[in-house]
Amino acid sequence: MVRDGLVQDIRRFVMGIDVSSFVVRQSLREVQAWQSEEAPWSDLPEHAAEDLAELATLPSGTSLGSEEAKRFDLLMFELQLALLGRSTKLEASQRKLSDIVMGLSSKTDIPAVARHAELIEDILTQEWWHGLTVPIVESARLRLREIVHLIDQGSRTILYSDFEDELAAPTTVALNPAADFAAFKKKARQFMAQHEDHIALRKLRTGKPLTLLDLEELERMLLEAGVGSPSEISLAKTMEAAQVRGFGVFLRALVGLERGAVQEHFADFIADGKSADQIEFVGMVIEHLCRSGVVDPGLLYDSPFTDQAPDGPDSVFSGAEVENFLEHVRSINRTAEVPQPAEAG
């Protein structure tokens, strides 16, 4: 529940207040009361809100996450309060959450975001909002709060909004047009899973170079099956990930790559006596490619890859090997991109 999640965070904050700080001295009695074992955290009295609001201004050693995470918490708590009928900010909260999740939806090539790709897509569909409950919102808050900082810098202003209560007649909220595109992606993924033996999809999933005719055939299939509209497919053709661009990249990100094909692609690289650490690192990249279809070489210098190798590929390979390895990554990414025919002069 919203109350449980919020109270838990407030309690952590209060327990982190340093009673030895001179700034805390004037409120020492209140702080010690709320830090004691007898503090009524499980059954807050009516005066608790006023008391805790004063303590919130004091310095605490407890970290509740980044600035973006804390502002995301505020938004999600507001949404939960609205669902409980204790706030009039339902429509504003819906719009802001849709904007935030839309920003995350373009970052699914980042492993931390990819782990929540299904939730991100669900939030951008009308179905997620139908029958929405407080526990569902709380679960989404806990899963997404640690990745909202990954939204592009230019989009982060969506997290900083001064909400004003506005009483008005209830209206139907139209979500961001991205909701329709998210629904299209979901239907396209399901459709392709049902037709995975199609020759063009086999080439896509096995990393074989695609032709323009392959993409035209896949586009025709999606249109004829009513999976996507011309405008949605047109938007999909602008997809860019891992330094490659186009409709093939969009489709590859939905279907991923077959493990055997990726392993074969890297077989020559690991054939000449690589160490256990090197093979493990290559294995992590293979896992990501199987799931996401492409991987940006730059992400190999970020978590979770740096959790094993602090400097990414540079930690496990020599200089020449690093470039060879990155070229293997780039080359398999490029198989999802079809070069555009040169215009006649």
Side-chain angles (χ1 to χ4, degrees), residues 49-301:
E50 184 177 345
D51 292 351
L52 294 172
E54 293 182 7
L55 299 187
T57 63
L58 300 176
S60 172
T62 300
S63 172
L64 297 178
S66 64
E67 183 72 13
E68 291 89 349
K70 288 185 281 188
R71 291 186 177 272
F72 182 71
D73 286 342
L74 178 61
L75 169 64
M76 298 298 271
F77 286 140
E78 197 66 63
L79 176 57
Q80 293 176 61
L81 288 171
L83 291 173
L84 292 171
R86 303 294 297 273
S87 170
T88 60
K89 302 174 184 177
L90 179 60
E91 294 181 11
S93 298
Q94 286 178 320
R95 286 193 296 270
K96 289 301 171 186
L97 179 56
S98 295
D99 287 344
I100 291 168
V101 174
M102 181 56 188
L104 288 172
S105 70
S106 65
K107 297 296 178 182
T108 52
D109 55 339
I110 299 176
V113 179
R115 286 194 287 271
H116 304 288
E118 185 175 353
L119 171 61
I120 290 169
E121 285 189 14
D122 285 345
I123 294 176
L124 288 172
T125 62
Q126 294 286 351
E127 288 77 8
W128 192 81
W129 296 92
H130 293 159
L132 187 63
T133 64
V134 169
I136 291 175
V137 175
E138 177 64 7
S139 175
R141 178 185 78 87
L142 294 174
R143 292 177 62 185
L144 300 182
R145 70 184 307 274
E146 299 302 329
I147 60 174
V148 291
H149 70 281
L150 296 172
I151 296 173
D152 285 336
Q153 186 68 38
S155 303
R156 291 187 187 179
T157 53
I158 59 180
L159 295 176
Y160 298 83
S161 300
D162 182 16
F163 294 110
E164 294 292 340
D165 286 330
E166 296 180 3
L167 296 175
T171 58
T172 300
V173 177
L175 297 180
N176 191 300
D180 293 333
F181 189 68
F184 160 59
K185 288 173 65 177
K186 201 167 189 176
K187 289 188 293 183
R189 180 182 288 111
Q190 293 170 348
F191 178 82
M192 289 188 291
Q194 296 167 358
H195 298 80
E196 59 182 13
D197 289 333
H198 188 282
I199 185 169
L201 282 176
R202 290 290 303 157
K203 291 173 68 175
L204 188 70
R205 285 183 49 79
T206 56
K208 298 294 190 296
L210 297 170
T211 67
L212 193 57
L213 288 176
D214 291 328
L215 294 186
E216 289 174 349
E217 172 65 8
L218 293 173
E219 178 180 345
R220 181 194 63 77
M221 291 171 60
L222 293 174
L223 286 171
E224 289 185 357
V227 173
S229 66
S231 61
E232 288 167 338
I233 290 180
S234 178
L235 181 57
K237 291 178 179 178
T238 67
M239 172 78 173
E240 185 170 357
Q243 303 171 17
V244 288
R245 180 183 179 89
F247 193 44
V249 181
F250 168 79
L251 296 174
R252 172 76 69 75
L254 296 182
V255 301
L257 281 163
E258 290 187 0
R259 184 177 304 279
V262 186
Q263 290 174 332
E264 182 179 351
H265 180 79
F266 285 96
D268 67 308
F269 178 76
I270 62 175
D272 56 350
K274 292 294 188 289
S275 69
D277 287 344
Q278 291 171 331
I279 293 175
E280 184 177 358
F281 190 86
V282 174
M284 290 180 65
V285 175
I286 290 174
E287 288 293 332
H288 184 83
L289 283 165
C290 291
R291 182 177 62 249
S292 301
V294 293
V295 59
D296 191 322
L299 293 177
L300 304 183
Y301 294 87

Side-chain angles (χ1 to χ4, degrees), residues 272-344:
D272 56 350
K274 292 294 188 289
S275 69
D277 287 344
Q278 291 171 331
I279 293 175
E280 184 177 358
F281 190 86
V282 174
M284 290 180 65
V285 175
I286 290 174
E287 288 293 332
H288 184 83
L289 283 165
C290 291
R291 182 177 62 249
S292 301
V294 293
V295 59
D296 191 322
L299 293 177
L300 304 183
Y301 294 87
D302 202 350
S303 181
F305 302 104
T306 53
D307 296 342
Q308 175 196 337
D311 295 322
D314 296 351
S315 293
V316 292
F317 301 119
S318 67
E321 287 177 321
V322 169
E323 186 51 41
N324 186 8
F325 176 62
L326 294 181
E327 182 52 34
H328 273 72
V329 172
R330 296 187 191 102
S331 64
I332 199 167
N333 288 342
R334 288 195 294 265
T335 61
E337 185 177 48
V338 176
Q340 295 301 309
E343 296 183 6

Side-chain angles (χ1 to χ4, degrees), residues 2-13:
V2 57
R3 183 178 180 278
D4 295 335
L6 184 57
V7 169
Q8 199 172 58
D9 284 345
I10 294 174
R11 183 176 185 179
R12 288 173 54 211
F13 177 86

